Each structure stands twice: as structure tokens, then as C-alpha cells.
Amino acid sequence: MGPVLILLIVVIAVVAVVALLYKGLVSKRNQIDEALGQIEVQLKRRHDLIPNLVQAVKGYMQYEQDVLTKVTEARANAVAAGAQGPAQQAQAENNLTGALRSLFSVVENYPDLKANQNVMQLQEELTTTENQIGFSRQHYNATVLQYNNSIQTVPAVLLAGPLGFTKREFFDAEPEAADVPSVNLNLG
């Protein structure tokens, strides 16, 4: 075998390794985008449920308009934060979770409201959605961790930067945001 043939084999091997690394990085980046899309689907569902909940409790809570205003504002901020990236979106969602906790705390003071079937159904749907958001967030963060590890280790680290693969942010929740907002709607 001549030196030209050996050089050709080495070049082909290097090109094959680069192509495989690139393919793997693109695949991981796309998995992150898909996982973020799943979070956004669940957050949209959450955002759609909140106005219904506010309307359902509005008539009962005439003296608690401040709480309802905070929930409405937090929802609007969360919707707007969706285009600002995972870190800002997570912060806005955490604020919304806090506002919902306040609302559910106030609901406890209204026995008629706790017994309202519509409020109970909305609470159950919101709880289910909160659980789905948590699962989607876990999947997203696991995917980001795998991707970030990939672009920061050899040999991919040699290609990641020049090919435009940058570190992704986690969708972090505050520790208290990990708890599902709950309210005891039992009459007894």
C-alpha cells in the first residue's frame, strides 16, 4: 500500500467520524427542541385552564380581587415569557405557580366555592396538568444534560463550537414549584 492510499483511508475515516459526531449532535439538539415543545404544550393547557378557574371563582371571591388580579397578571407574564427562553419562562411559570397557591389558599375560606363542581373539576384538571408539566420538565432537563455532556466531551468538543452547537439552559423550577398546588375541597 502506498502512502497515498493510506492517506486516503485516514481522510475517509476522519470524515466518517466527523459525520457521525455531527449526526449525533443534531439528533440530540432536535430531541431538546421536541422536549421543550412538550413542555410548551402542557404550559399552554395550563394557561388555557386558568381563565376558566378565575371566572369560576370570581363571583364568590368579591373581596379577593387582588388575588385574582395577581393570578391573571402572572398568567399573562408566563405566556409572554415563552418566547424568552427556558430560564425566563421557568421563572415566570414559578411566579404563576405561587399566584395559584395564593388563590387556592383563599378558596379554603369559601365553603360554597369549595363545593362548586366546576371549581373542583378545574382544580383536578389543573393538578393533572401540573403533573404533566413536571414530567415534561424532567424529560427536557435530562435531554439537555445529555446534550450538554456531549458537546463538552472529547471528541465532540472539538467540533461543537465551530459547528454552532452551544450549551442549552435547563428548565429549572424553584423547590416549592415542584409541589403540585393543591386545595382540599372536601366539605367535611
Side-chain angles (χ1 to χ4, degrees):
M1 285 182 23
V4 174
L5 185 59
I6 292 173
L7 182 60
L8 183 62
I9 291 172
V10 169
V11 168
I12 290 172
V14 168
V15 168
V17 168
V18 168
L20 288 174
L21 286 172
Y22 182 76
K23 180 182 181 238
L25 292 174
V26 167
S27 175
K28 288 176 178 153
R29 182 176 59 194
N30 290 342
Q31 288 172 352
I32 290 172
D33 294 340
E34 185 273 333
L36 184 58
Q38 290 302 317
I39 291 174
E40 290 170 355
V41 165
Q42 298 307 323
L43 292 176
K44 176 151 181 18
R45 176 172 164 70
R46 178 190 201 196
H47 298 157
D48 291 347
L49 285 171
I50 290 171
N52 296 334
L53 181 64
V54 168
Q55 284 297 70
V57 301
K58 193 180 250 183
Y60 291 93
M61 298 175 60
Q62 297 171 4
Y63 303 106
E64 310 288 349
Q65 293 302 312
D66 185 47
V67 173
L68 295 176
T69 300
K70 286 181 182 175
V71 169
T72 302
E73 288 174 357
R75 178 194 174 271
N77 291 338
V79 170
Q84 299 174 0
Q88 293 82 359
Q89 188 175 16
Q91 181 60 44
E93 292 298 335
N94 291 337
N95 292 338
L96 178 55
T97 298
L100 287 171
R101 280 200 184 97
S102 296
L103 173 63
F104 292 134
S105 293
V106 171
V107 165
E108 289 291 318
N109 298 326
Y110 294 85
D112 291 343
L113 186 55
K114 290 188 332 185
N116 182 293
Q117 195 65 26
N118 191 29
V119 172
M120 289 173 61
Q121 180 183 354
L122 287 167
Q123 167 63 23
E124 186 175 318
E125 287 182 40
L126 192 57
T127 299
T128 300
T129 301
E130 293 292 333
N131 287 333
Q132 291 172 342
I133 290 169
F135 292 132
S136 296
R137 184 181 282 151
Q138 284 178 320
H139 173 66
Y140 173 81
N141 286 340
T143 306
V144 167
L145 177 64
Q146 184 181 22
Y147 169 81
N148 286 345
N149 286 341
S150 293
I151 66 168
Q152 295 172 352
T153 56
V154 174
V157 71
L158 302 173
L159 299 173
L163 294 177
F165 293 93
T166 58
K167 186 176 177 183
R168 292 287 188 102
E169 297 176 326
F170 290 101
F171 201 109
D172 291 325
E174 296 174 350
E176 45 293 359
D179 299 331
V180 176
S182 64
V183 61
N184 183 356
L185 295 175
N186 293 331
L187 294 172

